[in-house]
Amino acid sequence: MILSKIYVRVFFLISICFSVLNVSVASSEICTDSDTSITSSKWQAIAFIKTIDTLPSSIYWPNVKPKLFLENLRSNIYSPLKIYEGISTNFCGYAALSYLLLHDDPVGYAKFMIQLFQQGEATMGKVLFHPSTAINQTAGALKFKGVLDIRPADQMWFLSLADHFKGYLNVFDHRYDAGDEDKLWASVNYAKFNRMVRELLHYKVDAKGSDMIHPGTSNTYEYIKSKMKSGVMVLYVNNTFLYKKKHTALKLGFPTHYIILQDINKTGETITITYWDYGGRSLRQMTPAFLRRITFGISHCTKKLNGVE
Amino acid sequence: MELNRILTTILLIAVIIISCSCNSVKKISTKYYDENKIALDSIEHNFKILYQQKPFSIEFTDKSFNYVSIEIITDTLKYIYEFGINETRLIDTLTKYHFNEKAIVDLFSQMRSIHCTWINYLDYYVDEKKEALIFISMRPVGLSKPFTNKKYYIITYFSQPQYFDNEGKLLVKRKRQRIRKINGEIFWRINDKVCYSISGRFR
């Protein structure tokens, strides 16, 4: 008990330091590099996946059934909105990243997943994924997570991302043990999320906000609205307010959830947002104060230049 | 001497309070179901019928059960609205989405009467096949353990009989003695199709 209390105190001290650091880092990092990678369309991805009827079992992924794996890839390509992080997991950051990937480069995604399945390792962007043995053994065997139970490719993908990318929240739980998908091992702090997008995808990220302090925008609604026209918006939000799960008066004032904002409008003092999370789109209304209270990070993702934008 | 007597009295009171709130979880939950069986079964039955007409879920968002959130599920979008229970906007919205307003309002009343905070369908998978159960959360009234968060009673209604181990824990299958978790919780038998759990969160 005493040891765990010390851990918690150390963790909070570190998190405060990183949070302060992230404010300056996140808001100043505007990647200006251009990238010559070609982004693919959904129809190209469908044409690609149609060329693969069957796959032999993989020696690297003993619990991943090839038939379910292919069905999962097809489902993600045909219906990218349906990708789902699973009940009670901390995979929401990885699911939000997958939304960006599946809408921007589904062919790249499909090829990467096939290579990862067949060869046990694969490269995306600048990153070589070589998942640990624990991840190889676990993918395909996660249970009681809703539809994620029958989506082994998503299990492979989320687990591999969590295995590879580490942030300060993962310091005390660095290696995967059974059940860690629900714990700090899988969590994604804000700087880590933005780093993953920059390193893996054809996006540049203009990030405002941090893990503990709200973004320094004078008017959150106006800022988001103005940026939405030119890119994809990812919001890092406090889930205890967005999806209430307890009736306690005291709520943790930290963000724990990533959503993709698709639309935002204001009528009088009512803001209506349409967003993607948990494998589907939702629409809800809120006050400007509520929007500010739940929003901790605003990532404005725009395509990297390919010569012709 | 006087100080000793006061301290002893305080200690006794504390022991009584703690022991009152430390009843066995199983006893509380089965008793709760038995006491509210008619209301719970009626809520489950009505929700099942209304859900078939148009998928939705209901959540009471405050402790006093004066505010209700309704999630209206369509093929493309989930609409999440929150209303005061007596607001006219509530009925207007139900009408707009072609709900049976009276039946939904009756369901609200039934839920409030037994402090039911949330009702929804939840998907689970058996042998790669999708199944669904009805998940009902209740916020118990009365004392809870001091300095702890209030727990919720969770009741699940399955459409088919389930398997349980000797202690009454819900299993994945009869042959495989693997315990099934729902929403991260272990569930216990009330009858073949109804289980319960105690959870720190209602959804």
Side-chain angles (χ1 to χ4, degrees):
Chain A
M1 278 300 282
I2 292 168
L3 197 65
S4 67
K5 274 182 188 171
I6 292 169
Y7 272 143
V8 168
R9 282 172 193 169
V10 172
F11 166 75
F12 271 106
L13 274 174
I14 292 172
S15 63
I16 288 165
C17 295
F18 272 86
S19 166
V20 171
L21 201 66
N22 285 341
V23 177
S24 53
V25 171
S27 50
S28 64
E29 262 190 53
I30 301 172
C31 180
T32 51
D33 294 345
S34 61
D35 192 333
T36 52
S37 305
I38 297 166
T39 308
S40 58
S41 73
K42 178 178 177 174
W43 309 113
Q44 287 174 305
I46 289 171
F48 169 74
I49 206 73
K50 274 184 176 172
T51 63
I52 305 167
D53 283 336
T54 54
L55 284 171
S57 298
S58 169
I59 53 166
Y60 302 101
W61 306 95
N63 293 309
V64 175
K65 294 178 184 172
K67 185 171 170 281
L68 274 182
F69 174 80
L70 274 176
E71 277 174 19
N72 190 172
L73 289 193
R74 285 191 198 106
S75 160
N76 287 347
I77 289 165
Y78 280 88
S79 312
L81 289 176
K82 287 189 177 171
I83 194 159
Y84 177 61
E85 65 259 44
I87 294 170
S88 299
T89 69
N90 280 343
F91 287 155
C92 68
Y94 310 115
L97 178 96
S98 310
Y99 174 101
L100 296 173
L101 173 62
L102 287 167
H103 282 80
D104 180 57
D105 188 12
V107 171
Y109 161 78
K111 287 183 175 171
F112 169 85
M113 289 304 296
I114 299 276
Q115 192 183 353
L116 187 64
F117 180 72
Q118 291 179 323
Q119 298 175 18
E121 61 177 34
T123 302
M124 180 178 287
K126 301 166 188 168
V127 180
L128 170 67
F129 285 86
H130 187 93
S132 61
T133 311
I135 299 306
N136 292 143
Q137 296 291 329
T138 305
L142 291 180
K143 294 289 174 217
F144 319 130
K145 305 292 178 198
V147 75
L148 187 64
D149 289 8
I150 57 159
R151 291 185 176 169
D154 292 347
Q155 293 185 25
M156 274 174 63
W157 170 233
F158 295 151
L159 288 164
S160 298
L161 282 167
D163 188 52
H164 182 87
F165 285 97
K166 298 295 174 191
Y168 71 90
L169 287 175
N170 314 118
V171 165
F172 297 117
D173 196 356
H174 217 258
R175 273 191 333 191
Y176 181 83
D177 295 303
D180 274 354
E181 62 276 3
D182 304 345
K183 298 176 187 166
L184 275 180
W185 175 82
S187 57
V188 180
N189 60 290
Y190 190 47
K192 173 174 153 177
F193 177 81
N194 291 320
R195 179 160 50 91
M196 288 194 300
V197 176
R198 289 187 185 109
E199 290 185 14
L200 294 175
L201 310 182
H202 307 287
Y203 282 108
K204 55 181 181 177
V205 185
D206 178 11
K208 274 199 182 301
S210 71
D211 296 325
M212 298 186 100
I213 302 167
H214 295 283
T217 50
S218 56
N219 185 326
T220 306
Y221 167 77
E222 290 297 341
Y223 176 78
I224 293 172
K225 183 77 179 168
S226 67
K227 290 282 185 179
M228 275 207 72
K229 295 163 193 163
S230 55
V232 184
M233 298 295 283
V234 184
L235 300 187
Y236 188 31
V237 297
N238 186 327
N239 212 28
T240 55
F241 285 96
L242 194 64
Y243 295 102
K244 198 179 275 187
K245 291 179 178 176
K246 298 174 185 177
H247 290 108
T248 48
L250 273 174
K251 291 190 178 70
L252 276 178
F254 307 120
T256 50
H257 187 50
Y258 292 87
I259 62 174
I260 307 284
L261 192 66
Q262 296 192 322
D263 194 21
I264 186 164
N265 284 299
K266 193 175 175 189
T267 311
E269 278 304 289
T270 303
I271 292 172
T272 304
I273 64 169
T274 306
Y275 60 95
W276 175 91
D277 69 350
Y278 297 119
R281 296 164 69 233
S282 300
L283 178 148
R284 68 189 299 159
Q285 296 178 323
M286 58 187 65
T287 61
F290 187 86
L291 177 67
R292 177 159 175 73
R293 195 187 309 156
I294 63 167
T295 307
F296 281 76
I298 307 169
S299 292
H300 178 232
C301 307
T302 48
K303 291 291 295 290
K304 287 174 184 169
L305 296 174
N306 287 330
V308 180
E309 198 164 11
Chain B
M1 280 299 283
E2 190 62 26
L3 186 69
N4 271 350
R5 205 176 295 164
I6 293 167
L7 282 174
T8 311
T9 313
I10 291 170
L11 193 68
L12 268 173
I13 292 168
V15 167
I16 290 165
I17 289 172
I18 291 168
S19 62
C20 284
S21 59
C22 286
N23 285 330
S24 111
V25 165
K26 189 171 181 176
K27 200 174 161 188
I28 290 171
S29 297
T30 47
K31 192 180 161 198
Y32 184 87
Y33 178 76
D34 291 340
E35 284 172 356
N36 297 284
K37 185 178 185 311
I38 294 168
L40 279 165
D41 290 354
S42 172
I43 288 170
E44 184 260 347
H45 176 75
N46 294 337
F47 177 74
K48 197 192 285 180
I49 291 169
L50 291 166
Y51 190 94
Q52 281 164 3
Q53 295 164 11
K54 190 174 281 290
F56 69 101
S57 68
I58 296 171
E59 173 195 335
F60 280 92
T61 57
D62 64 328
K63 288 178 188 174
S64 50
F65 288 79
N66 288 325
Y67 288 89
V68 67
S69 170
I70 181 161
E71 295 186 1
I72 301 163
I73 302 152
T74 69
D75 290 341
T76 53
L77 203 55
K78 183 164 67 181
Y79 298 87
I80 305 170
Y81 295 109
E82 187 175 354
F83 306 103
I85 198 77
N86 295 319
E87 273 187 76
T88 50
R89 287 193 308 139
L90 170 57
I91 301 296
D92 294 344
T93 304
L94 294 176
T95 309
K96 182 184 164 190
Y97 288 99
H98 308 294
F99 278 102
N100 179 342
E101 301 116 59
K102 189 184 174 306
I104 296 279
V105 171
D106 286 348
L107 186 58
F108 289 156
S109 304
Q110 281 186 308
M111 288 175 69
R112 286 180 91 194
S113 70
I114 60 161
H115 297 96
C116 175
T117 53
W118 195 56
I119 185 163
N120 192 22
Y121 259 105
L122 217 63
D123 295 340
Y124 68 101
Y125 287 79
V126 179
D127 294 333
E128 295 161 15
K129 281 184 191 160
K130 185 178 170 181
E131 305 279 351
L133 58 87
I134 292 178
F135 191 98
I136 302 178
S137 315
M138 267 80 54
R139 183 181 162 79
V141 285
L143 283 173
S144 57
K145 280 184 194 179
F147 314 115
T148 58
N149 281 332
K150 199 144 195 159
K151 301 273 185 179
Y152 296 90
Y153 298 158
I154 314 289
I155 306 282
T156 52
Y157 286 83
F158 292 86
S159 52
Q160 289 166 347
Q162 299 298 302
Y163 302 110
F164 302 90
D165 70 4
N166 295 335
E167 295 174 21
K169 288 180 189 164
L170 180 67
L171 296 176
V172 174
K173 287 179 184 175
R174 183 167 44 184
K175 287 179 186 172
R176 291 174 59 193
Q177 291 282 306
R178 185 175 181 185
I179 291 166
R180 173 179 292 285
K181 284 189 175 180
I182 300 167
N183 238 10
E185 303 286 351
I186 294 171
F187 276 73
W188 303 75
R189 184 182 187 281
I190 290 176
N191 61 43
D192 283 353
K193 291 185 180 180
V194 184
C195 300
Y196 75 87
S197 186
I198 306 279
S199 176
R201 54 192 196 166
F202 64 80
R203 63 181 289 179

